[in-house]
Amino acid sequence: MKLQSSQQFSTLQSAAERLRTAATSGTAVAPVRDLIGRDDVEAAYAVQSIGVAHRRALGARIIGRKIGLTSPAVQQQLGVDRPDFGVLFHDMQVPQTPPAERPLLLQPKVEAELAFVLAADLDHDRLDADTVRGAVAYAVAALEIVDSRIAGWDISFADTVADNASSGWFTLGERHLMLSEFEPREITMRMSIGQDLVSEGTGAACLGDPLNALAWLARTARELGNPLREGDIVLSGALGPMAPLIPGEQVRAELSLGTAILSCVEFTWENA
């Protein structure tokens, strides 16, 4: 999007305001690509940054990042072809956050993934799957409740990036996994809602290896001047297709290696 700086700033603010209106009213809005274009990555992340700054001004704390669009199945579902990232705020983590304090959900879906918690900053020159491994304190099964402020999930790449990577809530399993115990790319995932199996996948579905996704995010965040830090939670990306979140139904995801369940996580949405 090539505009004069004042016009560009006004356009970015308009896009951010449209998304903010949806987030506060609970009513989904039209895509923002009419304002910023379908594929203008710089403009999309600028809109995301405006939204992040607004939330921080209201007291929200950043506790990590989420990587999106890492699974071919999810890319196909949404019609996009590359990963993106967004910010995790403290009030997105459930059930730790009381229902009344959580962000509104408009049209939520759920996906299962592997989360990493960092033991060290990732701000050095070499950031690949091997080097980021040493910065991981532990991994854990995660459910991400993704959401879109854009009506009908009618999103382009720029729309989802601007909308904080279609973030909603997330929850982590209790069992911490050391990377000495398993290879993330070798795990399998099964996610059920109620009694129905709704999603399956593998670690290799996440950019070939969830550690590749972590390395991609670490490089991208460093290049943008906001590197990953010790203590950050990183949701590394879906391991299989997402599914609609159903009020009152329990979602359960299991991460396994062979026949052994490594970690599981459960969540029931009671805030409908």
Side-chain angles (χ1 to χ4, degrees):
M1 184 175 66
K2 303 298 183 183
L3 303 173
Q4 297 296 320
S5 58
S6 60
Q7 183 183 0
Q8 182 181 38
F9 181 74
S10 176
T11 300
L12 298 175
Q13 289 281 1
S14 295
E17 176 62 27
R18 184 182 297 179
L19 294 169
R20 186 159 59 245
T21 297
T24 55
S25 70
T27 301
V29 294
V32 296
R33 57 182 176 267
D34 65 317
L35 298 172
I36 63 173
R38 296 182 61 90
D39 299 302
D40 191 328
V41 176
E42 183 179 356
Y45 278 112
V47 174
Q48 182 187 122
S49 294
I50 293 170
V52 168
H54 178 77
R55 290 228 54 209
R56 293 186 70 185
L58 295 177
R61 293 182 289 104
I62 295 174
I63 60 172
R65 317 282 176 88
K66 59 151 290 184
I67 310 170
L69 308 177
T70 57
S71 163
V74 173
Q75 290 182 356
Q76 185 174 13
Q77 281 182 302
L78 296 180
V80 297
D81 60 0
R82 67 190 107 168
D84 69 351
F85 75 89
V87 169
L88 298 178
F89 292 105
H90 76 282
D91 56 2
M92 293 179 178
Q93 188 169 7
V94 296
Q96 287 84 342
T97 303
E101 299 175 16
R102 301 171 190 171
L104 292 176
L105 295 181
L106 281 67
Q107 41 192 351
K109 302 176 185 289
V110 61
E111 55 190 32
E113 49 199 272
L114 187 69
F116 298 111
V117 177
L118 300 184
D121 296 348
L122 284 173
D123 57 359
H124 41 278
D125 291 338
R126 182 186 168 197
L127 292 170
D128 56 25
D130 290 332
T131 57
V132 300
R133 174 189 290 271
V136 173
Y138 60 87
V140 65
L143 288 171
E144 183 183 359
I145 294 86
V146 293
D147 198 9
S148 181
R149 269 52 62 179
I150 294 169
W153 280 87
D154 177 18
I155 60 174
S156 67
F157 182 77
D159 292 310
T160 186
V161 169
D163 192 20
N164 197 25
S166 301
S167 60
W169 303 345
F170 72 96
T171 188
L172 303 180
E174 294 183 358
R175 187 182 175 202
H176 296 176
L177 301 171
M178 303 299 108
L179 293 189
S180 58
E181 298 179 61
F182 76 111
E183 286 294 336
R185 66 177 177 273
E186 296 176 357
I187 60 175
T188 58
M189 177 278 293
R190 290 169 58 88
M191 183 175 74
S192 300
I193 297 180
Q195 300 300 312
D196 298 324
L197 179 66
V198 296
S199 183
E200 293 183 274
T202 69
C206 182
L207 295 186
D209 186 333
L211 288 171
N212 289 339
L214 177 59
W216 171 84
L217 175 63
R219 291 191 299 270
T220 303
R222 180 197 61 196
E223 291 164 3
L224 293 174
N226 191 16
L228 298 175
R229 297 299 186 189
E230 177 184 357
D232 278 353
I233 299 167
V234 177
L235 303 182
S236 64
L239 302 181
M242 57 187 181
L245 188 64
I246 301 172
E249 290 282 356
Q250 184 187 70
V251 184
R252 177 182 172 87
E254 297 176 349
L255 300 184
S256 303
L257 195 59
T259 59
I261 297 175
L262 297 177
S263 183
C264 64
V265 58
E266 298 176 347
F267 175 70
T268 301
W269 181 29
E270 303 289 1
N271 188 29

